[in-house]
Amino acid sequence: MDNMQKRRVIGIDPGLAHTGFGVIDAIGNNIRLVSYGVIETPATEEHGTRLLAIYNRLVSVLLEFKPEQAAMEELYFARNVSSALAVAEAKGVVTMCLSQQALPLCMYRPNQIKYAVTGTKTADKKTVEQYVKILLNLETEPKPDHAADALAAAITHVFSTASMSIASLPETLPLRSRRSS
């Protein structure tokens, strides 16, 4: 029997210029969009001020939507060290903010998120956005992509921490995993 208790999960895609967030509810075998958006900080502001802005705005989001759990993609960078450092700093601010709010945080590798949302570990960003749209029953893909990535992390967390999985969703979804499993 399905557990009909509601869980509210926030997914976060950290970045110094754009920190995406997505809040969803999981009720039984259903997921529902609550809200999503992006915290933006202009490059013209002082570095520390930008990090403080991320913290303050994320606290506001957490107080408004009251999630019970949080999910974030693990960082990986193969090319640009300076952008990796800025994202790592934003991730640290986000992690501290979640900790201060006593929210448990789970981290997921990029290929885990792609697989949970699309049924394949090699999906591109556009495919992930399309599946987020389908899974949350939205009219259009969530934009900007930082918000879509945050929603994908939240969906992954719901699928990873419940008996629910992408395989348990209705057959009408065009899931690759159904054909290749």
Side-chain angles (χ1 to χ4, degrees), residues 143-169:
K143 296 288 183 192
D145 61 344
H146 302 285
D149 290 347
L151 287 166
I155 292 167
T156 299
H157 182 69
V158 168
F159 288 173
S160 298
T161 57
S163 59
M164 180 181 178
S165 72
I166 198 164
S168 71
L169 294 172

PDB file of all heavy atoms in Angstrom, residues 143-169:
ATOM      1  N   LYS A 143      12.456  26.895 -17.044  1.00  0.00           N
ATOM      2  CA  LYS A 143      13.587  27.741 -17.440  1.00  0.00           C
ATOM      3  C   LYS A 143      13.878  28.712 -16.314  1.00  0.00           C
ATOM      4  O   LYS A 143      12.964  29.098 -15.592  1.00  0.00           O
ATOM      5  CB  LYS A 143      13.261  28.520 -18.722  1.00  0.00           C
ATOM      6  CG  LYS A 143      13.036  27.645 -19.925  1.00  0.00           C
ATOM      7  CD  LYS A 143      14.305  27.040 -20.413  1.00  0.00           C
ATOM      8  CE  LYS A 143      14.060  26.211 -21.682  1.00  0.00           C
ATOM      9  NZ  LYS A 143      15.173  25.396 -22.043  1.00  0.00           N
ATOM     10  N   PRO A 144      15.087  29.140 -16.157  1.00  0.00           N
ATOM     11  CA  PRO A 144      16.278  28.738 -16.897  1.00  0.00           C
ATOM     12  C   PRO A 144      16.748  27.336 -16.503  1.00  0.00           C
ATOM     13  O   PRO A 144      16.170  26.710 -15.615  1.00  0.00           O
ATOM     14  CB  PRO A 144      17.307  29.806 -16.518  1.00  0.00           C
ATOM     15  CG  PRO A 144      16.878  30.311 -15.205  1.00  0.00           C
ATOM     16  CD  PRO A 144      15.386  30.168 -15.156  1.00  0.00           C
ATOM     17  N   ASP A 145      17.797  26.869 -17.172  1.00  0.00           N
ATOM     18  CA  ASP A 145      18.248  25.499 -16.963  1.00  0.00           C
ATOM     19  C   ASP A 145      18.704  25.232 -15.528  1.00  0.00           C
ATOM     20  O   ASP A 145      18.627  24.102 -15.057  1.00  0.00           O
ATOM     21  CB  ASP A 145      19.339  25.116 -17.969  1.00  0.00           C
ATOM     22  CG  ASP A 145      20.586  25.959 -17.876  1.00  0.00           C
ATOM     23  OD1 ASP A 145      20.551  27.038 -17.259  1.00  0.00           O
ATOM     24  OD2 ASP A 145      21.616  25.545 -18.444  1.00  0.00           O
ATOM     25  N   HIS A 146      19.129  26.255 -14.798  1.00  0.00           N
ATOM     26  CA  HIS A 146      19.528  26.051 -13.396  1.00  0.00           C
ATOM     27  C   HIS A 146      18.337  25.606 -12.554  1.00  0.00           C
ATOM     28  O   HIS A 146      18.471  24.770 -11.660  1.00  0.00           O
ATOM     29  CB  HIS A 146      20.141  27.327 -12.812  1.00  0.00           C
ATOM     30  CG  HIS A 146      21.338  27.797 -13.574  1.00  0.00           C
ATOM     31  ND1 HIS A 146      22.567  27.181 -13.496  1.00  0.00           N
ATOM     32  CD2 HIS A 146      21.483  28.810 -14.456  1.00  0.00           C
ATOM     33  CE1 HIS A 146      23.424  27.794 -14.288  1.00  0.00           C
ATOM     34  NE2 HIS A 146      22.784  28.788 -14.888  1.00  0.00           N
ATOM     35  N   ALA A 147      17.164  26.135 -12.845  1.00  0.00           N
ATOM     36  CA  ALA A 147      15.953  25.719 -12.133  1.00  0.00           C
ATOM     37  C   ALA A 147      15.570  24.298 -12.532  1.00  0.00           C
ATOM     38  O   ALA A 147      15.186  23.486 -11.677  1.00  0.00           O
ATOM     39  CB  ALA A 147      14.813  26.692 -12.430  1.00  0.00           C
ATOM     40  N   ALA A 148      15.684  23.969 -13.816  1.00  0.00           N
ATOM     41  CA  ALA A 148      15.387  22.607 -14.276  1.00  0.00           C
ATOM     42  C   ALA A 148      16.335  21.602 -13.631  1.00  0.00           C
ATOM     43  O   ALA A 148      15.915  20.513 -13.212  1.00  0.00           O
ATOM     44  CB  ALA A 148      15.485  22.531 -15.798  1.00  0.00           C
ATOM     45  N   ASP A 149      17.616  21.959 -13.517  1.00  0.00           N
ATOM     46  CA  ASP A 149      18.592  21.074 -12.868  1.00  0.00           C
ATOM     47  C   ASP A 149      18.251  20.868 -11.393  1.00  0.00           C
ATOM     48  O   ASP A 149      18.395  19.766 -10.855  1.00  0.00           O
ATOM     49  CB  ASP A 149      20.005  21.642 -13.001  1.00  0.00           C
ATOM     50  CG  ASP A 149      20.536  21.586 -14.425  1.00  0.00           C
ATOM     51  OD1 ASP A 149      19.927  20.893 -15.273  1.00  0.00           O
ATOM     52  OD2 ASP A 149      21.550  22.247 -14.695  1.00  0.00           O
ATOM     53  N   ALA A 150      17.793  21.923 -10.735  1.00  0.00           N
ATOM     54  CA  ALA A 150      17.407  21.813  -9.327  1.00  0.00           C
ATOM     55  C   ALA A 150      16.190  20.907  -9.171  1.00  0.00           C
ATOM     56  O   ALA A 150      16.139  20.058  -8.271  1.00  0.00           O
ATOM     57  CB  ALA A 150      17.123  23.206  -8.760  1.00  0.00           C
ATOM     58  N   LEU A 151      15.211  21.060 -10.060  1.00  0.00           N
ATOM     59  CA  LEU A 151      14.034  20.183 -10.025  1.00  0.00           C
ATOM     60  C   LEU A 151      14.428  18.729 -10.286  1.00  0.00           C
ATOM     61  O   LEU A 151      13.914  17.812  -9.638  1.00  0.00           O
ATOM     62  CB  LEU A 151      12.988  20.647 -11.041  1.00  0.00           C
ATOM     63  CG  LEU A 151      12.232  21.920 -10.658  1.00  0.00           C
ATOM     64  CD1 LEU A 151      11.472  22.477 -11.862  1.00  0.00           C
ATOM     65  CD2 LEU A 151      11.290  21.654  -9.488  1.00  0.00           C
ATOM     66  N   ALA A 152      15.361  18.511 -11.201  1.00  0.00           N
ATOM     67  CA  ALA A 152      15.827  17.152 -11.486  1.00  0.00           C
ATOM     68  C   ALA A 152      16.484  16.536 -10.246  1.00  0.00           C
ATOM     69  O   ALA A 152      16.284  15.343  -9.966  1.00  0.00           O
ATOM     70  CB  ALA A 152      16.797  17.163 -12.669  1.00  0.00           C
ATOM     71  N   ALA A 153      17.234  17.324  -9.500  1.00  0.00           N
ATOM     72  CA  ALA A 153      17.847  16.815  -8.268  1.00  0.00           C
ATOM     73  C   ALA A 153      16.778  16.443  -7.248  1.00  0.00           C
ATOM     74  O   ALA A 153      16.873  15.404  -6.582  1.00  0.00           O
ATOM     75  CB  ALA A 153      18.810  17.854  -7.685  1.00  0.00           C
ATOM     76  N   ALA A 154      15.744  17.277  -7.121  1.00  0.00           N
ATOM     77  CA  ALA A 154      14.654  16.978  -6.184  1.00  0.00           C
ATOM     78  C   ALA A 154      13.916  15.699  -6.593  1.00  0.00           C
ATOM     79  O   ALA A 154      13.611  14.847  -5.744  1.00  0.00           O
ATOM     80  CB  ALA A 154      13.694  18.159  -6.098  1.00  0.00           C
ATOM     81  N   ILE A 155      13.635  15.552  -7.879  1.00  0.00           N
ATOM     82  CA  ILE A 155      12.968  14.345  -8.383  1.00  0.00           C
ATOM     83  C   ILE A 155      13.822  13.116  -8.098  1.00  0.00           C
ATOM     84  O   ILE A 155      13.320  12.081  -7.645  1.00  0.00           O
ATOM     85  CB  ILE A 155      12.658  14.482  -9.891  1.00  0.00           C
ATOM     86  CG1 ILE A 155      11.590  15.549 -10.120  1.00  0.00           C
ATOM     87  CG2 ILE A 155      12.237  13.139 -10.490  1.00  0.00           C
ATOM     88  CD1 ILE A 155      11.433  15.988 -11.581  1.00  0.00           C
ATOM     89  N   THR A 156      15.118  13.224  -8.339  1.00  0.00           N
ATOM     90  CA  THR A 156      16.035  12.118  -8.074  1.00  0.00           C
ATOM     91  C   THR A 156      15.969  11.714  -6.611  1.00  0.00           C
ATOM     92  O   THR A 156      15.929  10.521  -6.282  1.00  0.00           O
ATOM     93  CB  THR A 156      17.474  12.511  -8.455  1.00  0.00           C
ATOM     94  OG1 THR A 156      17.505  12.800  -9.853  1.00  0.00           O
ATOM     95  CG2 THR A 156      18.465  11.405  -8.124  1.00  0.00           C
ATOM     96  N   HIS A 157      15.948  12.696  -5.737  1.00  0.00           N
ATOM     97  CA  HIS A 157      15.891  12.387  -4.307  1.00  0.00           C
ATOM     98  C   HIS A 157      14.603  11.643  -3.958  1.00  0.00           C
ATOM     99  O   HIS A 157      14.638  10.652  -3.224  1.00  0.00           O
ATOM    100  CB  HIS A 157      16.007  13.670  -3.478  1.00  0.00           C
ATOM    101  CG  HIS A 157      16.009  13.400  -2.020  1.00  0.00           C
ATOM    102  ND1 HIS A 157      17.062  12.777  -1.377  1.00  0.00           N
ATOM    103  CD2 HIS A 157      15.070  13.637  -1.075  1.00  0.00           C
ATOM    104  CE1 HIS A 157      16.779  12.653  -0.099  1.00  0.00           C
ATOM    105  NE2 HIS A 157      15.568  13.167   0.118  1.00  0.00           N
ATOM    106  N   VAL A 158      13.485  12.096  -4.485  1.00  0.00           N
ATOM    107  CA  VAL A 158      12.212  11.418  -4.212  1.00  0.00           C
ATOM    108  C   VAL A 158      12.269   9.970  -4.708  1.00  0.00           C
ATOM    109  O   VAL A 158      11.912   9.034  -3.986  1.00  0.00           O
ATOM    110  CB  VAL A 158      11.036  12.178  -4.858  1.00  0.00           C
ATOM    111  CG1 VAL A 158       9.760  11.343  -4.829  1.00  0.00           C
ATOM    112  CG2 VAL A 158      10.821  13.505  -4.142  1.00  0.00           C
ATOM    113  N   PHE A 159      12.751   9.770  -5.937  1.00  0.00           N
ATOM    114  CA  PHE A 159      12.834   8.423  -6.491  1.00  0.00           C
ATOM    115  C   PHE A 159      13.825   7.553  -5.720  1.00  0.00           C
ATOM    116  O   PHE A 159      13.640   6.348  -5.621  1.00  0.00           O
ATOM    117  CB  PHE A 159      13.247   8.467  -7.966  1.00  0.00           C
ATOM    118  CG  PHE A 159      12.178   8.965  -8.905  1.00  0.00           C
ATOM    119  CD1 PHE A 159      12.490   9.188 -10.235  1.00  0.00           C
ATOM    120  CD2 PHE A 159      10.882   9.217  -8.497  1.00  0.00           C
ATOM    121  CE1 PHE A 159      11.518   9.635 -11.131  1.00  0.00           C
ATOM    122  CE2 PHE A 159       9.911   9.672  -9.372  1.00  0.00           C
ATOM    123  CZ  PHE A 159      10.232   9.876 -10.697  1.00  0.00           C
ATOM    124  N   SER A 160      14.887   8.152  -5.194  1.00  0.00           N
ATOM    125  CA  SER A 160      15.944   7.396  -4.528  1.00  0.00           C
ATOM    126  C   SER A 160      15.624   7.051  -3.083  1.00  0.00           C
ATOM    127  O   SER A 160      16.274   6.190  -2.500  1.00  0.00           O
ATOM    128  CB  SER A 160      17.256   8.191  -4.557  1.00  0.00           C
ATOM    129  OG  SER A 160      17.656   8.401  -5.885  1.00  0.00           O
ATOM    130  N   THR A 161      14.654   7.718  -2.503  1.00  0.00           N
ATOM    131  CA  THR A 161      14.389   7.529  -1.076  1.00  0.00           C
ATOM    132  C   THR A 161      13.003   6.965  -0.791  1.00  0.00           C
ATOM    133  O   THR A 161      12.545   6.990   0.343  1.00  0.00           O
ATOM    134  CB  THR A 161      14.555   8.853  -0.309  1.00  0.00           C
ATOM    135  OG1 THR A 161      13.676   9.830  -0.872  1.00  0.00           O
ATOM    136  CG2 THR A 161      15.992   9.336  -0.362  1.00  0.00           C
ATOM    137  N   ALA A 162      12.343   6.454  -1.819  1.00  0.00           N
ATOM    138  CA  ALA A 162      11.003   5.901  -1.641  1.00  0.00           C
ATOM    139  C   ALA A 162      10.871   4.648  -2.489  1.00  0.00           C
ATOM    140  O   ALA A 162      11.736   4.350  -3.308  1.00  0.00           O
ATOM    141  CB  ALA A 162       9.949   6.932  -2.060  1.00  0.00           C
ATOM    142  N   SER A 163       9.777   3.953  -2.291  1.00  0.00           N
ATOM    143  CA  SER A 163       9.515   2.787  -3.127  1.00  0.00           C
ATOM    144  C   SER A 163       9.158   3.214  -4.544  1.00  0.00           C
ATOM    145  O   SER A 163       9.116   2.421  -5.453  1.00  0.00           O
ATOM    146  CB  SER A 163       8.388   1.950  -2.529  1.00  0.00           C
ATOM    147  OG  SER A 163       7.219   2.740  -2.429  1.00  0.00           O
ATOM    148  N   MET A 164       8.933   4.510  -4.700  1.00  0.00           N
ATOM    149  CA  MET A 164       8.588   5.063  -6.001  1.00  0.00           C
ATOM    150  C   MET A 164       9.828   5.119  -6.888  1.00  0.00           C
ATOM    151  O   MET A 164      10.921   5.404  -6.433  1.00  0.00           O
ATOM    152  CB  MET A 164       8.049   6.479  -5.782  1.00  0.00           C
ATOM    153  CG  MET A 164       7.641   7.201  -7.000  1.00  0.00           C
ATOM    154  SD  MET A 164       7.077   8.831  -6.458  1.00  0.00           S
ATOM    155  CE  MET A 164       6.712   9.529  -8.012  1.00  0.00           C
ATOM    156  N   SER A 165       9.654   4.856  -8.158  1.00  0.00           N
ATOM    157  CA  SER A 165      10.747   4.991  -9.113  1.00  0.00           C
ATOM    158  C   SER A 165      10.160   5.375 -10.458  1.00  0.00           C
ATOM    159  O   SER A 165       8.952   5.311 -10.670  1.00  0.00           O
ATOM    160  CB  SER A 165      11.534   3.684  -9.237  1.00  0.00           C
ATOM    161  OG  SER A 165      10.761   2.734  -9.934  1.00  0.00           O
ATOM    162  N   ILE A 166      11.006   5.717 -11.372  1.00  0.00           N
ATOM    163  CA  ILE A 166      10.542   6.091 -12.704  1.00  0.00           C
ATOM    164  C   ILE A 166       9.818   4.904 -13.363  1.00  0.00           C
ATOM    165  O   ILE A 166       8.898   5.083 -14.120  1.00  0.00           O
ATOM    166  CB  ILE A 166      11.707   6.616 -13.573  1.00  0.00           C
ATOM    167  CG1 ILE A 166      11.161   7.391 -14.764  1.00  0.00           C
ATOM    168  CG2 ILE A 166      12.640   5.531 -14.005  1.00  0.00           C
ATOM    169  CD1 ILE A 166      12.181   8.255 -15.458  1.00  0.00           C
ATOM    170  N   ALA A 167      10.218   3.679 -13.004  1.00  0.00           N
ATOM    171  CA  ALA A 167       9.579   2.494 -13.570  1.00  0.00           C
ATOM    172  C   ALA A 167       8.148   2.328 -13.076  1.00  0.00           C
ATOM    173  O   ALA A 167       7.345   1.649 -13.705  1.00  0.00           O
ATOM    174  CB  ALA A 167      10.392   1.258 -13.230  1.00  0.00           C
ATOM    175  N   SER A 168       7.795   2.962 -11.931  1.00  0.00           N
ATOM    176  CA  SER A 168       6.442   2.811 -11.392  1.00  0.00           C
ATOM    177  C   SER A 168       5.467   3.842 -11.937  1.00  0.00           C
ATOM    178  O   SER A 168       4.301   3.831 -11.582  1.00  0.00           O
ATOM    179  CB  SER A 168       6.488   2.922  -9.860  1.00  0.00           C
ATOM    180  OG  SER A 168       6.768   4.257  -9.474  1.00  0.00           O
ATOM    181  N   LEU A 169       5.936   4.714 -12.797  1.00  0.00           N
ATOM    182  CA  LEU A 169       5.073   5.749 -13.352  1.00  0.00           C
ATOM    183  C   LEU A 169       4.238   5.193 -14.510  1.00  0.00           C
ATOM    184  O   LEU A 169       4.534   4.133 -15.049  1.00  0.00           O
ATOM    185  CB  LEU A 169       5.923   6.935 -13.805  1.00  0.00           C
ATOM    186  CG  LEU A 169       6.612   7.645 -12.649  1.00  0.00           C
ATOM    187  CD1 LEU A 169       7.583   8.678 -13.188  1.00  0.00           C
ATOM    188  CD2 LEU A 169       5.621   8.290 -11.709  1.00  0.00           C
TER     189      LEU A 169
END
